[in-house]
Amino acid sequence: MCPVLGHLDGRFESADAEAEHRIAVLYQEFGGPLLRHVRKSTGNDLQWAEDVVQETIVRAWRNSARLQWEPSLIWAWLLTVARRIVIDGRRRKSVRPQEVEPPEVDMMSVPDGSERALSAMVVADALRSLSQEHREVIEQTYLRDRTISEAAEILGIPPGTVKSRLYYGIRALREQLRDKGVAG
Amino acid sequence: MHDGVAAYVLGVLDEEEHEAFERHLDACERCQAELIELAELPEQLDELRNAPSSTSGDDPPMSMSR
């Protein structure tokens, strides 16, 4: 990816022109891959995904210090920024009554035949193989669009405990997925 | 502070903590390395969210099968 973004000083007549150029470079470097990733979390809603990418790029532009990082870290950070924007959007939408509660892992059955179903099954398996404590915090936070504090209240444990279990749970999940050959 | 990286990457910190963690991240190489490792994991969890929960959704509504 880009070695750029750091050395543009002096080439532009105005700050506006420079800003415009930087945003264009960001789009060029990250826009396409980011859109492909974001679409997965917007349930393929392209319009929503494009809005998320646009907002992500603008936030990145405002955080120019972070754009000096190495590309893999910039990318990880951009994905996280985008995810946060998606989650905020989802939470706003769910202020309206939610039609369907996300399924419990044990209840899930997935149709055969598609790659998507297969990877869902692999992830469900990996999640099931975690300890109850670890699985529970992942289900009660991310999979239900709840913050650490909200989940802590529901589970009746301190937020610090949720955060720490989430950390070890996510590490364990990653190990599981790596063993199954689906994580880098 | 370091264990916040999982909550951060999943986007489940509240606003204040999220910002605090980003400030920590700017200075912490260990968390930067873990962020890189974990960045695409939430997408894999999204597979669960997007997967149909059962085949019953394919059944026609009752009203149509009178």
Side-chain angles (χ1 to χ4, degrees):
Chain A
M1 275 186 250
C2 69
V4 234
L5 301 169
H7 351 276
L8 297 170
D9 310 304
R11 279 174 44 204
F12 293 91
E13 291 180 7
S14 70
D16 278 356
E18 179 171 342
E20 221 167 88
H21 179 79
R22 280 176 185 260
I23 286 182
V25 171
L26 279 170
Y27 257 110
Q28 197 179 318
E29 294 295 331
F30 300 108
L34 205 49
L35 186 63
R36 278 195 293 283
H37 282 261
V38 169
R39 278 182 81 166
K40 292 186 203 163
S41 4
T42 60
N44 253 346
D45 182 331
L46 184 58
Q47 177 63 52
W48 182 15
E50 281 171 348
D51 292 346
V52 170
V53 168
Q54 189 175 357
E55 195 173 337
T56 305
I57 296 287
V58 169
R59 285 196 202 180
W61 169 71
R62 288 200 193 117
N63 280 279
S64 54
R66 294 194 179 120
L67 297 173
Q68 315 293 327
W69 283 341
E70 56 154 317
S72 62
L73 182 57
I74 297 180
W75 173 244
W77 175 66
L78 289 175
L79 281 180
T80 308
V81 170
R83 183 166 308 115
R84 182 87 182 170
I85 296 168
V86 169
I87 291 172
D88 284 348
R90 217 186 263 147
R91 287 167 70 94
R92 269 200 300 278
K93 287 182 185 182
S94 73
V95 170
R96 288 174 284 161
Q98 224 174 355
E99 326 79 82
V100 194
E101 275 280 285
E104 295 290 340
V105 174
D106 289 341
M107 313 262 301
M108 295 213 347
S109 71
V110 284
D112 300 322
S114 87
E115 218 169 281
R116 161 139 253 157
L118 182 65
S119 57
M121 205 140 51
V122 170
V123 178
D125 271 353
L127 201 51
R128 256 193 297 262
S129 72
L130 302 185
S131 72
Q132 164 72 21
E133 283 186 351
H134 287 166
R135 185 172 60 242
E136 167 179 88
V137 292
I138 295 172
E139 285 174 349
Q140 292 297 331
T141 57
Y142 186 68
L143 290 175
R144 292 183 188 272
D145 296 326
R146 290 193 188 119
T147 62
I148 295 270
S149 326
E150 290 165 347
E153 202 162 311
I154 285 161
L155 294 168
I157 52 180
T161 308
V162 177
K163 199 194 282 182
S164 144
R165 281 184 192 171
L166 195 54
Y167 175 76
Y168 291 104
I170 285 294
R171 302 274 350 165
L173 183 65
R174 182 164 187 280
E175 290 304 309
Q176 283 292 327
L177 290 172
R178 191 155 53 179
D179 289 349
K180 292 171 196 288
V182 291
Chain B
M1 194 74 198
H2 301 303
D3 64 3
V5 69
Y8 172 72
V9 83
L10 292 172
V12 297
L13 292 171
D14 59 37
E15 199 60 42
E16 206 172 298
E17 280 190 296
H18 183 84
E19 283 167 18
F21 186 82
E22 285 204 322
R23 285 192 297 275
H24 168 77
L25 183 68
D26 284 338
C28 179
E29 284 184 19
R30 172 182 154 183
C31 286
Q32 293 179 358
E34 287 204 285
L35 177 63
I36 292 171
E37 275 184 37
L38 297 175
E40 297 189 14
L41 189 90
E43 285 172 20
Q44 291 180 292
L45 282 169
D46 284 340
E47 303 281 357
L48 296 180
R49 208 191 277 279
N50 299 331
S53 61
S54 76
T55 52
S56 64
D58 296 334
D59 293 342
M62 295 296 270
S63 58
M64 287 179 64
S65 56
R66 43 181 156 172

